[in-house]
Amino acid sequence: MIDVLIADDEEPALDALEFLLRRDPRIALIRRANTSAGALQILTSEKVDAALLDIHMPGLSGFDLARAINRFASPPVIVFVTADEETAVDAFDLDATDYLLKPVRQDRLARAVSRIEAALAPGVPAKQDDEVITVIRGATIRRIRRSDVRYVQAQGDYARLHTDDDSYIVRIPITDLCEQWSGSGFLRVHRSFLVALASVTSVRVGSNPVVTVGGVDLPVSRRLLPAVRDAFEARGGRP
């Protein structure tokens, strides 16, 4: 069970986040603060496992608060919850475990709670071996985690990373990603596609074999089909 602090200067945002957290059976105690000063007061008098912080608060910002928290002897896991997509780079520089965009969805919050669980697991360092990739979307620079990538699509000398929410271009050929991510649960299924095996829900064999990832059917080359089928079955699936 996880005890959390949520901090936001907008009461409706606090109400919405608390409502979603209470629907997660892994969450125990929830403490609320509508200022960074109030959050610090709670954190110095009570121990919580995780702090979910808005970034733009009056006085101390969420980033200022995170810097103060990181100086604690046993700091809680930090997750930022914000409407500001452009601050993701700064958030991960502060070793945030996750970065949630408002309005927060239940499924996305559940993944954040899973990351909090992993960071709190005995013998597991808070900083997990989950590569963070810098991506560019228009004029915005973001960082996304490798574990959020469901599949990769080749686009010439570039690759497009597909997540549950969006897709992003990176200046890396898919062949390079295949080599870099082969030991992290990713498998080449076609010259144009690399998939996260954990995200594959089905493999269909036949005249036109495909794998289904997040509701999307991706082609599987005949040459790679045996390896794809073996990998899927090894994870407990059935083609």
Side-chain angles (χ1 to χ4, degrees), residues 7-9 52-57 61-63 80-83 102:
D8 198 307
D9 61 315
L52 284 72
L53 312 176
D54 183 32
I55 290 174
H56 299 293
M57 291 188 286
S61 71
F63 286 156
F80 288 108
V81 185
T82 180
K102 298 177 181 178

Side-chain angles (χ1 to χ4, degrees), residues 191-210:
R191 68 177 181 274
S192 297
F193 293 100
L194 173 70
V195 304
L197 281 170
S199 298
V200 175
T201 54
S202 68
V203 176
R204 294 206 308 270
V205 298
S207 57
N208 295 297
V210 299

Side-chain angles (χ1 to χ4, degrees), residues 110-140:
R111 292 210 305 276
V113 174
S114 294
R115 286 177 177 153
I116 292 169
E117 273 190 317
L120 294 171
V124 178
K127 203 169 184 179
Q128 298 297 304
D129 183 20
D130 187 3
E131 182 182 348
V132 176
I133 308 110
T134 301
V135 297
I136 299 175
R137 180 72 179 273
T140 301

Side-chain angles (χ1 to χ4, degrees), residues 15-28 30 104-107 109-110 113:
D15 291 341
L17 185 56
E18 181 176 0
F19 173 77
L20 294 177
L21 285 168
R22 291 200 182 280
R23 298 179 67 182
D24 193 314
R26 295 169 293 180
I27 300 298
I30 300 176
V104 179
R105 299 196 325 267
Q106 186 79 61
D107 61 335
L109 180 61
V113 174

Side-chain angles (χ1 to χ4, degrees), residues 156-196:
D157 291 332
Y158 297 79
R160 181 174 291 278
L161 310 182
H162 292 262
T163 67
D164 286 338
D165 306 316
D166 216 328
S167 67
Y168 307 90
I169 288 285
V170 291
R171 296 185 177 92
I172 307 173
I174 195 171
T175 51
D176 289 355
L177 284 178
C178 285
E179 294 178 6
Q180 295 172 20
W181 291 3
S182 62
S184 301
F186 283 78
L187 182 68
R188 189 80 171 263
V189 299
H190 188 273
R191 68 177 181 274
S192 297
F193 293 100
L194 173 70
V195 304

